[in-house]
Amino acid sequence: MPTAPAEAPAPAPVPVPAAAAQAPAAPAARPAGGLGSRWTALAVLSTGMLMTVLDGSIVTVAMPAIQQDLGFSPAGLSWVVNAYLIAFGSLLLLAGRLGDLIGHKRMFLAGTAVFTGASLLAGFAGSPELLIAARFLQGVGSAMASAVSLGILINLFTEPRERARAIAVFSFTGAAGASLGQVLGGVLTDALDWHWIFFINLPIGLTALLLALPSLPKGRGLGLGAGADVLGAVLVSTGLMLGIYTVVKVEQYGWTSAHTLGLGALSLALLAAFTVRQAKARTPLVPLRIFRSRTVVGANLVQMLMIAALFSFQILVALYLQKVLGYGAAATGLAMLPAAVVIGVTSLGISTRLISRFGGRTVLLTGLVLLLGGQLLLTRLPVHADYVTDLLPVMLLAAGFGLALPALTGLAMSGAGAEDAGLASGLFNTTQQIGMALGVAVLSTLAASRTESLTRAGHSTAEALTGGYHVAFGIGSGLLLLAVALAATLLRPGRPA
């Protein structure tokens, strides 16, 4: 049994879907039929994102079964997640801009169709190469669909209280769906086999497509004649893809290797060239005026830190349950279920009312403090833990995510003007993927290093693994503490809606 905790890396994005960064898109027309049709459209968007989020988290519990069945090496197994992460994170901005040009509805339908077809291919995969290729295609489809989802939502719900409710529903899909995916992944893997974690996307994807046709607004988009910054798109997509690839390979090559430093420098150079290009382009992909908003910058920084820290909860707790406590896949998923429940309750039943009464900044800080408490408890996990006393309190404190995510989403969007709604949401989702990649590299590398040193010192496998997880949980606590500090200083106090 490998001792490196990173054998099952972070899931694909938990997402808060986003429209792309770009010049203002033509407003989306509301679907005919009034409020009911708008809420139907919200259900479609949430269903599409649920499929994406479930696919990200459902894979993590099934990793050992996939490795055994297809003969993945420990390093090769990480690409079941990394292929998805690289495609998704690097193509968001480009997909969003294309969505503005050809229409948000068309982009959502195309992305959902690509993702659903790639899920079918992944389910039938009989070799590591085919599964990795299918996962890359899933990332492409996810980027296409999620890049425009939040932009559609913002255009449909313009009244502040309705918009807050819609964002709460949307955030619940991302927050609770990730935890529910682990439950479903464990049950499907034990009851059937790992292939079904991908086949489950087929009915969800087809349902989303059928409902999207009549319910989503029929906006035509700006038209291809409006122009796209092709050079900027190439620079940012290549730079992000190379950067995420470099980060997820740090565990193999190390932080100071020529591979990491060389590719990292090239990625930074490409992104710097992209920034210069945006200052000069006639139709920039990311107008630099968005960075004048302290709220937008602060919300993105806080999100990146929060997502990076929560890697240790979602992934390393699952590994601890299986590799240290000996839980099976289904038992691991059920053990994580309380987290999904409390996240769902706070996202749907509590967060909107609290944000309306106290403001997004206060609710965000409360959520971050709860998450910090959970991380600190994880740093004290024993080798022979009792679930009720040692783990259940952590699961309940995950309610902080159900508070923090809707508040953070609202702050990120409110910090930009109406003409920059797509731009703000595109940045929000892109920084989410950067946080995920950093969490994969930093936390898993440090945990693996500590595990190896403890193993060499003569500790048992369980003791060495637990010690490695403690390091990751401690680093995660530090990231959340920094997120609290940034939220308190950079984000302006929000007035209740």
Side-chain angles (χ1 to χ4, degrees), residues 151-167:
I152 296 174
L153 183 152
I154 294 300
N155 282 323
L156 287 175
F157 296 91
T158 55
E159 194 275 322
R161 189 172 296 275
E162 280 190 355
R163 178 178 289 182
R165 290 174 60 195
I167 288 178

Side-chain angles (χ1 to χ4, degrees), residues 153-473:
L153 183 152
I154 294 300
N155 282 323
L156 287 175
F157 296 91
T158 55
E159 194 275 322
R161 189 172 296 275
E162 280 190 355
R163 178 178 289 182
R165 290 174 60 195
I167 288 178
V169 172
F170 213 47
S171 298
F172 162 75
T173 303
S179 297
L180 288 172
Q182 292 184 314
V183 178
L184 188 59
V187 172
L188 288 175
T189 301
D190 277 357
L192 299 171
D193 59 51
W194 65 265
H195 299 275
W196 286 91
I197 67 173
F198 298 112
F199 289 145
I200 194 66
N201 291 327
L202 300 182
I204 300 175
L206 292 175
T207 300
L209 288 171
L210 291 175
L211 293 178
L213 288 171
S215 64
L216 293 186
K218 300 179 180 179
R220 296 181 178 179
L222 298 172
L224 295 176
D229 182 14
V230 177
L231 177 58
V234 171
L235 288 171
V236 71
S237 296
T238 306
L240 286 174
M241 189 174 295
L242 186 60
I244 295 173
Y245 170 81
T246 303
V247 169
V248 299
K249 296 293 285 184
V250 162
E251 184 183 352
Q252 179 179 347
Y253 290 98
W255 289 100
T256 59
S257 67
H259 179 276
T260 300
L261 295 178
L263 292 183
L266 180 57
S267 172
L268 291 176
L270 290 171
L271 294 176
F274 168 73
T275 303
V276 173
R277 170 68 181 175
Q278 298 314 286
K280 298 180 178 180
R282 184 176 62 86
T283 56
L285 199 64
V286 182
L288 299 182
R289 63 177 179 270
I290 191 66
F291 297 109
R292 298 172 187 167
S293 170
R294 186 176 68 176
T295 303
V296 170
V297 173
N300 279 277
L301 289 175
V302 169
Q303 180 193 220
M304 185 165 59
L305 292 169
M306 182 180 73
I307 295 298
L310 292 183
F311 159 75
S312 60
F313 172 79
Q314 187 171 355
I315 302 304
L316 296 187
V317 168
L319 286 172
Y320 170 81
L321 290 170
Q322 293 188 62
K323 295 183 176 295
V324 177
L325 299 187
Y327 283 35
T332 297
L334 292 174
M336 304 287 285
L337 183 59
V341 173
V342 296
I343 289 172
V345 170
T346 52
S347 294
L348 291 177
I350 299 176
S351 64
T352 302
R353 282 176 284 181
L354 291 179
I355 292 170
S356 297
R357 183 172 181 180
F358 300 107
R361 178 176 177 269
T362 301
V363 175
L364 170 62
L365 286 170
T366 303
L368 289 174
V369 169
L370 290 176
L371 292 173
L372 177 58
Q375 287 285 316
L376 291 173
L377 288 178
L378 288 173
T379 63
R380 303 179 61 187
L381 277 180
V383 175
H384 303 290
D386 177 76
Y387 178 81
V388 173
T389 59
D390 294 317
L391 286 164
L392 184 58
V394 177
M395 302 298 170
L396 297 180
L397 287 173
F401 196 52
L403 296 177
L405 193 57
L408 196 56
T409 305
L411 287 167
M413 297 303 296
S414 66
E419 72 279 6
D420 288 327
L423 171 58
S425 56
L427 286 176
F428 193 67
N429 211 7
T430 300
T431 56
Q432 188 178 90
Q433 309 319 310
I434 294 174
M436 183 70 70
L438 290 174
V440 171
V442 176
L443 298 183
S444 63
T445 299
L446 294 175
S449 177
R450 177 60 175 166
T451 296
E452 291 174 1
S453 65
L454 289 174
T455 300
R456 288 195 300 268
H459 292 270
S460 68
T461 299
E463 291 172 340
L465 285 169
T466 303
Y469 299 147
H470 284 169
V471 169
F473 297 143

